[in-house]
Amino acid sequence: MSTTSTQQVTPQLRQWIVEQAQAGHSAEAVLKAMLDAGWQEDVAVEAMETTLRGHLEHQAVQQGLPPAVNVPEPELDESPLYLDAGDRRVYVVQTMASPRVVVFGSLLSDEECEALIALARPRLARSLTVQTQTGGEEVNQDRTSHGMFFQRGENELVRRIEARIARLVNWPVDHGEGLQVLHYEPGTEYKPHYDYFDPEQPGTPTILKRGGQRVGTLVIYLAEPEKGGGTVFPDVHLEVAPKRGNAVFFSYDRAHPSTKTLHGGAPVLAGDKWIATKWLRERPFV
Ligand code: PD2
Ligand code: ZN
């Protein structure tokens, strides 16, 4: 019979880990020192991860950043090539840690893309953005597309897609805003912006009463233009191609540029681009 005793991580050990990091020692070197001192590897790794994450968070809040919150996240341990989204196998095309970006392949079938466009087309209007001064809505020159919102769960297709998204990114359906469909014609774009609500704006507290902050975005490409129209992340010089049925997911654990989630829809140069966007909130969006 073997007995395993769990070693206790003390405040002194946590302090020592922070000091090692501050002195510029690499994670590997600190881990090796702990193993040499007799710490079990799983305990050492866990102690380092939680201690350093907690320390960084403490520093961020001290510097005036909003505290980090939980965010949606696909189950990507062991780097799977595809995920089971309940009723569909969805491909993992590309991932990035910071900003947190995951590109999914074949989230929707071509028929689902076409059906969403057909349902949305008669309801399009010039896109509005939330007016951060008041919490109302306004026409914005930075966003020249036309769009509409489905109610959450509005029809069978929308319910199916919402359930798939919820399973894919591990975030409850009721934390999502209604799907928004946007149509971009040549020459139109969505200039770079953040999807979270700016905490400094006077209208933000009103917006946050309904579901809290946005913490994640999924942009699904429904129709691909011939040229242009990628989703760009200028801070990291990333451009995601708007391939029909694919989607780009990104999350932001605080309403702050340190998330590097500045992003935009590049101008469409030829052809039409259609997308569906699902914004995910901290809490139920009611
Ligand atoms: O159309 C896009 O690629 C795009 C870019 C930036 C969409 C959004 N933001 C959005 O819907 O928030
Ligand atoms: Zn956006």
Side-chain angles (χ1 to χ4, degrees):
M1 200 180 85
S2 71
T3 55
T4 52
S5 61
T6 313
Q7 297 173 324
Q8 286 303 313
V9 177
T10 60
Q12 288 77 14
L13 177 67
R14 294 192 188 284
Q15 170 88 27
W16 177 83
I17 291 171
V18 169
E19 284 166 5
Q20 300 311 301
Q22 284 171 334
H25 298 299
S26 70
E28 291 75 25
V30 179
L31 180 61
K32 180 166 186 311
M34 288 181 70
L35 298 182
D36 290 347
W39 289 92
Q40 292 161 5
E41 183 163 8
D42 55 342
V43 175
V45 169
E46 169 76 14
M48 279 182 62
E49 281 179 0
T50 56
T51 302
L52 294 174
R53 200 178 310 126
H55 177 67
L56 287 175
E57 176 61 16
H58 181 75
Q59 279 196 318
V61 171
Q62 289 238 307
Q63 286 165 15
L65 271 60
V69 297
N70 282 336
V71 295
E73 173 66 9
E75 176 54 63
L76 295 177
D77 290 352
E78 302 183 347
S79 303
L81 208 60
Y82 56 83
L83 293 171
D84 172 12
D87 63 343
R88 192 170 173 86
R89 171 182 281 198
V90 174
Y91 287 82
V92 181
V93 174
Q94 200 162 31
T95 69
M96 185 178 258
S98 178
R100 184 52 165 158
V101 176
V102 181
V103 179
F104 293 115
S106 194
L107 173 62
L108 300 192
S109 68
D110 290 355
E111 294 71 31
E112 287 170 332
C113 292
E114 276 156 24
L116 264 189
I117 291 173
L119 289 168
R121 194 189 285 277
R123 291 164 58 179
L124 294 180
R126 175 72 193 270
S127 294
L128 302 174
T129 45
V130 174
Q131 195 187 26
T132 44
Q133 291 287 321
T134 63
E137 286 187 318
E138 61 181 355
V139 169
N140 185 333
Q141 279 311 316
D142 291 347
R143 195 182 195 199
T144 45
S145 56
H146 285 70
M148 56 77 67
F149 273 96
F150 287 104
Q151 293 284 325
R152 202 172 55 218
E154 180 176 323
N155 56 49
E156 192 278 329
L157 176 63
V158 164
R159 281 194 294 278
R160 191 195 320 153
I161 294 170
E162 287 174 339
R164 197 178 293 163
I165 295 170
R167 171 106 177 231
L168 192 64
V169 300
N170 297 304
W171 209 247
V173 169
D174 73 359
H175 288 40
E177 298 180 29
L179 265 180
Q180 186 188 43
V181 173
L182 288 185
H183 177 206
Y184 298 83
E185 287 171 297
T188 63
E189 66 181 309
Y190 194 171
K191 294 223 174 91
H193 59 276
Y194 297 98
D195 279 356
Y196 56 73
F197 302 107
D198 183 348
E200 302 295 323
Q201 290 293 329
T204 296
T206 307
I207 296 167
L208 297 188
K209 282 188 189 145
R210 222 182 143 194
Q213 263 293 358
R214 285 181 176 160
V215 289
T217 303
L218 184 78
V219 175
I220 312 170
Y221 306 108
L222 304 178
E224 50 196 54
E226 284 142 44
K227 286 184 198 165
T231 303
V232 294
F233 292 80
D235 289 349
V236 289
H237 309 285
L238 173 68
E239 177 164 352
V240 178
K243 183 171 168 29
R244 178 160 72 168
N246 286 8
V248 58
F249 165 77
F250 52 99
S251 64
Y252 22 100
D253 63 0
R254 54 178 118 241
H256 194 271
S258 61
T259 57
K260 300 188 198 158
T261 54
L262 183 68
H263 67 285
V268 172
L269 303 177
D272 284 28
K273 171 186 172 188
W274 288 78
I275 61 164
T277 302
K278 172 64 88 176
W279 285 294
L280 303 168
R281 298 290 192 102
E282 265 180 288
R283 295 188 286 279
F285 180 75
V286 285

